[in-house]
Amino acid sequence: MRLALSFVAFFYTTALVAQHYAYKEAITTLCSAPFAGRGYVDNGAQQAAQFIESEFKAIGLKPKGKKGYKQAFHYSVQTFPGACQLIAGTDTLKAGIDYLIDPASAGTSGKQTYQLVYCKTATLLQSTSSFKPCPPGRMLVVQTSGFGGDTIKILKARLKELSKFAPVLELNDEKLTWSVSQSATPYPLLHAVLSKWPSQVNSCQLELEARMLPNFQTHNVIGFLPASTEAKSKETIVLSAHYDHLGKMGQQAYFPGANDNASGVGMLLYLAHELARQNERSVNYVFIAFSGEEAGLIGSKYFTEHPTFDLKKIRFVLNLDIMGSGEEGITVVNATKFPTEFERLVQLNQQHAALTQVKSRGPAANSDHYFFTELGIPSFFIYTMGPNKHYHDIEDRAEELSYAAFEPLATLLLEFLRSF
């Protein structure tokens, strides 16, 4: 692996002498199998941080941390590093396609056989207060298809409650979407696609290795590009994107996280490269690749609580996520909170005819801009819109990205940054 990473570093160092940054190659690398979904299994997040640090160095960014480019922090996370097999009757289901392990699920002790007990949804809606721990070897099955609104919210909550009493399997035809959990249920909790589940099956086999990491270490990666020496203003603009993703569910299924958010890292590196080539810079730029976003914005929270420079010097934060499409334009979170900057972005888009739409959205705690905004620092979170709906699934691969607006958007963002 060291040899492979050395080759990657050499390739990109060479590529950076070209006119523009090789963002597609960087994104494809971050999504590749050796990076293990940039998560918690097989050193995925650590390899991604190392790659980004090497890119920062090649671009010419300086470290902006007390101990170099990386800022270490810790948190707990439930992981699934080994066996992950579900057999319904005689059918072996495909992980990530036919079923998901709930991110908070407990594991099994080897391969376990369960008798399936199909629960009545109407009874479940009422309460779980009368439930008692099930006899060993039972798995409760709940079908939640056909419900919506408040009803489905109640059912989802009941599933979590049920997992305190017994292993639980949810059947639903909704899109399989995974996430990250910092806690674990007492029993296995699974979600399977109803149309892939064999009819009238009354037993299943499950083998699942789950491991809680109470002190998982990861890093924010921080690079610095100073203003020109003669520049009067020494304000700082922060550009950020999270590089972490969901990692692996067992050894067979991994979540590449192309749009979310290798594409944002690609944009971050592209903008850093372009700004580094610029002789005159009126402000300082700090580039931060955050980790821990998928687990609850942990990396950006840690940074704002343990900053590596004076946060009062920040003029603006531009956070980038989901940069891989753009056929339908972009959405700007915090547009209503900072209308002057938003109007400037809209006007620049009109001048350059860059994007089909620059859509306004209000404040939201949905990415790494949030804790900066809470401190009163002007911040935008920008994401692209388009037909690519792969999100937190195993199909969010680099080859699925259209890059329809990547370079026009980069041009627009550079013009916006230079307007400060």
Side-chain angles (χ1 to χ4, degrees):
M1 181 53 67
R2 288 184 179 179
L3 179 62
L5 288 175
S6 296
F7 173 78
V8 168
F10 171 78
F11 172 81
Y12 282 105
T13 301
T14 303
L16 287 175
V17 302
Q19 184 176 4
H20 294 294
Y21 182 78
Y23 62 90
K24 290 183 181 179
E25 289 84 350
I27 291 169
T28 298
T29 297
L30 288 167
C31 297
S32 63
F35 283 74
R38 305 186 305 281
Y40 312 98
V41 176
D42 296 341
N43 296 314
Q46 291 86 342
Q47 292 183 75
Q50 181 179 337
F51 173 79
I52 294 167
E53 179 182 358
S54 70
E55 295 302 279
F56 278 3
K57 291 178 180 177
I59 289 170
L61 304 187
K62 300 177 181 180
K64 195 61 174 176
K66 297 178 181 178
K67 297 182 179 180
Y69 292 88
K70 294 178 181 177
Q71 180 188 47
F73 60 99
H74 305 79
Y75 59 92
S76 62
V77 62
Q78 180 76 331
T79 69
F80 305 94
C84 180
Q85 185 180 58
L86 176 62
I87 302 174
T90 59
D91 294 351
T92 300
L93 278 68
K94 297 177 182 178
I97 299 174
D98 300 333
Y99 74 97
L100 289 177
I101 302 299
D102 189 273
S105 176
T108 63
S109 179
K111 183 177 290 187
Q112 299 289 321
T113 299
Y114 296 99
Q115 295 299 311
L116 301 178
V117 179
Y118 290 84
C119 300
K120 293 182 179 180
T121 308
T123 301
L124 188 60
L125 276 171
Q126 295 175 6
S127 174
T128 61
S129 60
S130 62
F131 277 70
K132 297 179 181 179
C134 289
R138 303 289 195 277
M139 178 178 287
L140 305 180
V141 182
V142 179
Q143 181 175 325
T144 60
S145 288
F147 296 96
D150 291 338
T151 301
I152 194 66
K153 291 180 181 179
I154 294 172
L155 286 174
K156 295 288 186 182
R158 294 286 188 265
L159 290 173
K160 294 289 187 181
E161 295 171 11
L162 282 179
S163 65
K164 299 177 182 178
F165 305 109
V168 176
L169 170 68
E170 178 190 16
L171 294 177
N172 197 303
D173 267 329
E174 65 186 11
K175 177 182 178 293
L176 291 179
T177 302
W178 212 37
S179 59
V180 179
S181 177
Q182 292 189 263
S183 61
T185 59
Y187 294 96
L189 176 56
L190 294 79
H191 310 275
V193 177
L194 178 60
S195 60
K196 301 291 183 68
W197 190 255
S199 60
Q200 299 181 338
V201 66
N202 57 20
S203 68
C204 73
Q205 289 183 332
L206 175 66
E207 184 176 11
L208 177 64
E209 180 185 351
R211 186 181 304 166
M212 172 61 70
L213 303 180
N215 206 29
F216 175 76
Q217 178 175 291
T218 187
H219 302 84
N220 296 324
V221 188
I222 309 166
F224 177 58
L225 187 63
S228 303
T229 304
E230 62 275 13
K232 294 181 180 180
S233 172
K234 293 298 181 182
E235 292 182 317
T236 296
I237 292 179
V238 173
L239 290 87
S240 65
H242 78 90
Y243 70 85
D244 65 299
H245 198 53
L246 309 179
K248 301 180 74 171
M249 191 178 74
Q251 282 299 310
Q252 301 304 314
Y254 85 98
F255 295 76
N259 213 13
D260 181 24
N261 185 35
S263 66
V265 175
M267 181 65 79
L268 185 75
L269 295 170
Y270 185 97
L271 296 176
H273 180 246
E274 292 300 304
L275 291 168
R277 293 171 60 218
Q278 182 177 315
N279 292 326
E280 300 295 328
R281 292 183 294 274
S282 60
V283 299
N284 300 304
Y285 292 101
V286 174
F287 300 85
I288 310 178
F290 286 118
S291 188
E293 194 266 2
E294 301 291 8
L297 313 182
I298 297 175
S300 52
K301 184 176 189 295
Y302 185 87
F303 178 83
T304 55
E305 294 174 348
H306 305 84
T308 61
F309 63 95
D310 186 359
L311 298 183
K312 294 180 181 178
K313 294 182 178 180
I314 298 177
R315 172 65 181 85
F316 202 82
V317 174
L318 184 62
N319 183 51
L320 310 166
D321 205 338
I322 310 179
M323 294 278 108
S325 56
E327 291 89 342
E328 299 166 16
I330 60 172
T331 294
V332 182
V333 175
N334 274 354
T336 60
K337 191 173 183 68
F338 304 106
T340 301
E341 289 84 356
F342 177 71
E343 183 58 32
R344 186 192 313 168
L345 185 66
V346 171
Q347 291 177 357
L348 287 169
N349 183 60
Q350 293 172 349
Q351 291 174 18
H352 294 274
L355 307 172
T356 59
Q357 178 184 193
V358 178
K359 184 178 179 180
S360 171
R361 181 174 172 179
N366 55 352
S367 194
D368 287 315
H369 65 289
Y370 173 70
F371 290 105
F372 292 95
T373 306
E374 289 295 285
L375 292 174
I377 299 171
S379 310
F380 278 168
F381 163 35
I382 295 179
Y383 58 90
T384 62
M385 301 179 292
N388 184 345
K389 303 304 179 185
H390 296 305
Y391 177 77
H392 283 211
D393 58 43
I394 63 172
E395 298 301 326
D396 186 14
R397 297 174 281 114
E399 53 266 36
E400 294 294 319
L401 302 181
S402 68
Y403 299 108
F406 192 95
E407 293 186 26
L409 174 56
T411 299
L412 174 62
L413 294 179
L414 286 168
E415 291 298 318
F416 178 69
L417 293 168
R418 290 164 181 157
S419 70
F420 285 90

